[in-house]
Amino acid sequence: MRGAVLVAIAAAIGNMLQGWDNATIAGAVLYIKREFHLQAQPAIEGLVVATSLIGATVITTFSGPVSDSVGRRPMLIASSVLYFLAGLLMLWSPNVYVLLLSRLVDGFAIGLAVTLVPVYISETAPPEIRGLLNTLPQFTGSGGMFLSYCMVFAMTLAPQPDWRLMLGALSLLSLLYLLLTVCYLPESPRWLVSKGRMKEARAVLQMLRGRDDVAGEMALLVEGLGTAGDTAIEEYIVGPHPADDEADGGDRVTLYGPERGMSWVAQPLPLGAGGQGSMLGSAIGLGSRQGSVLDHLRDPVVALLGSVHDLKPTPAAAPEGSMLFSNHGSMLSFHDKAPVDWDEENGVADGGEQLVSDDDDVRAPLLDTRGPSSMHETATTMGIGGGWQLAWKYADGPESGVVKRMYLHEEAGGGEGGVHAAALVSQSALYLHGMQQEEEQQQGGGPALAHPAAAAAEEEHEQAGGRWRELLAPGVRHALVCGVTMQVLQQFSGINGVLYYTPQILNQAGVSVLLASLGLGADSTSILISGLTTLLMLPAIGVAMRLMDVSGRRSLLLWTLPVLIAVMVYLCCFVMGFGPIPNILCAEIFPTRVRGLCIAICSLAFWLGDIAVTYSLPVMLNCVGLTGVFGFYAVVCCLALGFVALRVPETKGLPLEVIIEFFNVGARGVAASPYAEEEEAEDDDGDHHRCH
């Protein structure tokens, strides 16, 4: 996975520049207000610092939808160019008005980086190390602050420190970022698939994963193009195909392995037969009328994903071969007829054959699932990471023409008869409709899946209002509430106040007296204290990077949010939990088609909260004093702890598309009446085996 790691490091330099800028303006403002005589103009002095926040807020409003349209990579390139222009303007700055303009441009660059770097890393990282890689922006941001403080401290030792050089150094670093974004960073494979550019997407995935066989993940990305669906949870016992077909009747689903002659049978289980230790059992428990008050308050997604993680060792630590089916891999090689190649792009295969006509739908299936004739439903399966596998099946036999996709996960139980598995089942995002599907069935084929080029062409004709309407889909709306609330609570948890007053608190503790004995001036002492504070946070972020995919996001939040016993301990705990995790979660819980738009909304909440806290802090200090301010922060942390415990699910090690399916399930009332209705129906008819 070296390719994915290097790409994440390169992208995270955008956050390093943000941290660098935050530290340089903190030191440079000491000299700016003296040169421009801003002591008598506190409003202008405040704008010098706050204009970048305003710029970041404004650009965030547009960044998400634009990135969904033109791609993630062009927006990161734009961020690096804006960083460079801002550095040049700050280096020049003949007056305070040009300086304010440069800070506004700098805010544009910061807004793009903070919003899109987590999205880019999430869309390129494998599930097993996605948390670690998405903690890199926090690490590089704090590292950039420390390096900047070192530079500013060295410059404050000069007889006449030059604040323009402090701020202008940003332009040199931004050239490195520009070089990397233009020459090294690839486009997000998920965005490429959403536009039907399959050949490019496959090449990028092969580079990121370091292997040629990426068919499983390509299929996953194709299925991830949908935004919402009527997702059901089903349970199966999966075992080898019996020698005598008639010896095992009933409603069965045949799953074919990656090699000719290898096949598996999935036998549906009655509702709840897997027991309360299963994923479905967890859902049934939530729907029980005897549930506790906490059970009724807890988000169904929290319980469902919690049960998945409790079933077996962490996917990140599990061996790659520990999958539901042995010999897992591409399911596209065992057919007599070769399937359509992933190199098809925008409807044209490598040989030049036209696959998408100007006035018709796709004629060749994306995946040819023709296999040995069987009286049972047929499906194809492939590993997609994190212990999950992807399958397709007909909903009610081939004659129905309705294709369902299945995300399968091994659960506790099973035995000699096979493996106990749970499945998230919903309508396939790209199955062919109507006459074309019927034609494929008449030719003896299985489910015919359309090429993403058709979806991309349809998307181009969508009006802007259609994209906004997708935000009202239950699963998307459910995830959006979680993401926005996390961002707002993060800002009101007190990090800005703690960072602002840390030098003052350490000064009262006698640190400044010790440093003054070394012959340092007041400005140098202040900068050095801030630099040392940032340095102490780096090891804590390193620990968080190690634990993010082991303990998980939710566990880190629950362990770090209650800690308020000391300033430095609070800062270390913040950068381990509430600092990076809201951005990580927001980059994981939204569908591909609207991920940029949803991230923009969450980031807008972040910047508005930042502005509100920054400007309300002096007012609160005058009204309730420092003790009252920190008391308020403590209350917010308690509220955040409760919200995390009840409403924030654990997403470690899961493919992004699977996370979205869980939100679809939870938003459609997993803990509500459908369970009770099915349990009552079971008393009269024991044939039910699905829950919606």
Side-chain angles (χ1 to χ4, degrees), residues 5-336:
V5 173
L6 294 178
V7 163
I9 293 173
I13 292 179
N15 293 77
M16 186 194 78
L17 297 180
Q18 179 214 7
W20 178 280
D21 177 76
N22 289 343
T24 51
I25 192 61
V29 74
L30 300 173
Y31 306 98
I32 291 172
K33 63 182 180 181
R34 295 172 190 170
E35 178 175 333
F36 294 131
H37 308 290
L38 300 181
Q39 292 88 340
Q41 303 179 67
I44 300 298
E45 179 185 348
L47 279 176
V48 170
V49 178
T51 301
S52 63
L53 296 179
I54 297 172
T57 304
V58 171
I59 199 68
T60 295
T61 307
F62 307 100
S63 62
V66 174
S67 73
D68 284 337
S69 177
V70 305
R72 318 311 192 203
R73 179 173 175 268
M75 301 300 284
L76 295 181
I77 294 175
S79 175
S80 64
V81 172
L82 289 170
Y83 271 128
F84 179 71
L85 293 176
L88 290 181
L89 284 172
M90 288 187 286
L91 182 63
W92 176 45
S93 296
N95 54 57
V96 71
Y97 302 106
V98 174
L99 178 61
L100 290 176
L101 175 63
S102 68
R103 297 297 300 162
L104 184 67
V105 175
D106 184 56
F108 292 159
I110 291 173
L112 290 178
V114 171
T115 301
L116 296 175
V117 167
V119 176
Y120 181 82
I121 294 177
S122 286
E123 292 185 342
T124 56
E128 293 80 5
I129 58 171
R130 190 176 60 239
L132 182 152
L133 296 184
N134 239 334
T135 313
L136 278 173
Q138 182 78 34
F139 185 84
T140 57
S142 297
M145 289 180 66
F146 172 70
L147 294 176
S148 179
Y149 278 129
C150 292
M151 180 201 69
V152 173
F153 172 72
M155 296 183 71
T156 60
L157 299 178
Q160 302 254 328
D162 190 337
W163 62 266
R164 289 180 176 84
L165 288 179
M166 294 180 188
L167 296 176
L170 178 68
S171 59
L172 294 177
L173 293 174
S174 63
L175 286 178
L176 171 63
Y177 190 40
L178 177 61
L179 183 65
L180 288 173
T181 54
V182 172
C183 300
Y184 181 69
L185 288 188
E187 182 54 85
S188 161
R190 282 178 166 83
W191 184 86
L192 290 171
V193 167
S194 74
K195 300 302 179 183
R197 294 160 61 175
M198 306 300 293
K199 183 176 182 179
E200 295 177 62
R202 187 179 73 163
V204 171
L205 272 180
Q206 289 172 335
M207 184 272 285
L208 294 173
R209 302 298 180 256
R211 63 176 187 269
D212 292 332
D213 182 11
V214 292
E217 193 166 355
M218 286 290 291
L220 175 68
L221 268 54
V222 169
E223 285 294 351
L225 296 180
T227 54
D230 188 9
T231 304
I233 300 178
E234 302 177 359
E235 288 186 282
Y236 294 92
I237 292 294
V238 181
H241 200 291
D244 184 0
D245 284 345
E246 297 192 3
D248 187 14
D251 185 17
R252 295 178 296 172
V253 179
T254 301
L255 308 174
Y256 289 98
E259 297 178 1
R260 182 182 298 276
M262 177 184 296
S263 59
W264 298 75
V265 169
Q267 180 69 43
L269 292 175
L271 178 65
Q276 295 296 314
S278 69
M279 181 167 63
L280 182 57
S282 174
I284 296 172
L286 285 174
S288 173
R289 293 190 178 94
Q290 284 76 37
S292 66
V293 175
L294 287 179
D295 287 334
H296 291 288
L297 291 176
R298 185 177 295 118
D299 193 319
V301 183
V302 174
L304 287 171
L305 284 175
S307 66
V308 170
H309 291 298
D310 290 340
L311 288 173
K312 55 193 305 185
T314 305
E320 180 66 23
S322 60
M323 301 291 289
L324 187 59
F325 309 107
S326 63
N327 260 343
H328 69 280
S330 172
M331 294 296 301
L332 309 179
S333 60
F334 71 94
H335 309 295
D336 294 329

Side-chain angles (χ1 to χ4, degrees), residues 42-43 45-46 50 53 492 496-498 500-501 504 609-630 632-633:
E45 179 185 348
L53 296 179
F492 282 90
N496 289 332
V498 172
Y500 185 82
Y501 281 99
Q504 177 181 326
D610 192 357
I611 293 174
V613 170
T614 300
Y615 279 92
S616 65
L617 182 58
V619 177
M620 294 177 65
L621 285 170
N622 289 332
C623 294
V624 298
L626 189 62
T627 302
V629 168
F630 279 89
F632 172 78
Y633 293 156

Side-chain angles (χ1 to χ4, degrees), residues 244-588:
D244 184 0
D245 284 345
E246 297 192 3
D248 187 14
D251 185 17
R252 295 178 296 172
V253 179
T254 301
L255 308 174
Y256 289 98
E259 297 178 1
R260 182 182 298 276
M262 177 184 296
S263 59
W264 298 75
V265 169
Q267 180 69 43
L269 292 175
L271 178 65
Q276 295 296 314
S278 69
M279 181 167 63
L280 182 57
S282 174
I284 296 172
L286 285 174
S288 173
R289 293 190 178 94
Q290 284 76 37
S292 66
V293 175
L294 287 179
D295 287 334
H296 291 288
L297 291 176
R298 185 177 295 118
D299 193 319
V301 183
V302 174
L304 287 171
L305 284 175
S307 66
V308 170
H309 291 298
D310 290 340
L311 288 173
K312 55 193 305 185
T314 305
E320 180 66 23
S322 60
M323 301 291 289
L324 187 59
F325 309 107
S326 63
N327 260 343
H328 69 280
S330 172
M331 294 296 301
L332 309 179
S333 60
F334 71 94
H335 309 295
D336 294 329
K337 176 183 176 182
V340 177
D341 198 342
W342 288 110
D343 282 349
E344 299 165 10
E345 185 170 344
N346 296 328
V348 180
D350 283 348
E353 178 185 357
Q354 185 74 19
L355 298 176
V356 186
S357 61
D358 294 334
D359 56 354
D360 204 351
D361 201 351
V362 179
R363 282 303 176 191
L366 175 66
L367 299 178
D368 188 344
T369 54
R370 306 178 199 278
S373 60
S374 172
M375 60 178 289
H376 309 295
E377 304 172 51
T378 61
T380 62
T381 67
M382 57 188 70
I384 56 176
W388 292 82
Q389 288 198 312
L390 173 63
W392 289 274
K393 70 167 187 175
Y394 284 115
D396 298 301
E399 65 278 0
S400 70
V402 178
V403 178
K404 296 283 188 177
R405 70 163 175 257
M406 306 165 65
Y407 294 131
L408 291 152
H409 188 274
E410 182 178 348
E411 296 211 340
E416 295 182 0
V419 177
H420 178 209
L424 295 171
V425 182
S426 60
Q427 183 169 296
S428 176
L430 294 172
Y431 78 96
L432 301 181
H433 299 265
M435 183 64 66
Q436 185 176 350
Q437 185 68 259
E438 294 176 4
E439 291 175 1
E440 294 294 335
Q441 293 171 21
Q442 291 172 2
Q443 295 172 13
L449 303 179
H451 196 281
E458 180 181 350
E459 184 179 352
E460 293 297 328
H461 293 88
E462 279 189 351
Q463 297 180 352
R467 183 62 56 85
W468 285 94
R469 281 194 296 271
E470 292 186 38
L471 300 183
L472 300 179
V476 179
R477 187 174 65 243
H478 192 174
L480 199 56
V481 170
C482 177
V484 169
T485 305
M486 285 289 290
Q487 295 287 7
V488 173
L489 288 174
Q490 183 206 52
Q491 287 304 303
F492 282 90
S493 66
I495 185 60
N496 289 332
V498 172
L499 286 174
Y500 185 82
Y501 281 99
T502 293
Q504 177 181 326
I505 294 170
L506 294 179
N507 179 51
Q508 294 175 353
V511 176
S512 61
V513 175
L514 175 63
L515 295 176
S517 65
L518 301 177
L520 298 177
D523 293 342
S524 300
T525 300
S526 175
I527 297 299
L528 185 57
I529 290 175
S530 298
L532 292 174
T533 302
T534 306
L535 177 62
L536 291 174
M537 292 190 293
L538 292 177
I541 302 174
V543 173
M545 293 175 67
R546 177 66 181 87
L547 296 178
M548 197 64 69
D549 292 305
V550 179
S551 298
R553 292 78 154 139
R554 175 180 163 86
S555 297
L556 282 175
L557 287 172
L558 292 175
W559 280 102
T560 58
L561 269 173
V563 179
L564 282 164
I565 57 176
V567 170
M568 292 310 305
V569 175
Y570 169 82
L571 289 175
C572 291
C573 289
F574 182 87
V575 297
M576 288 180 63
F578 220 8
I581 291 177
N583 283 337
I584 294 176
L585 285 173
C586 288
E588 293 177 329

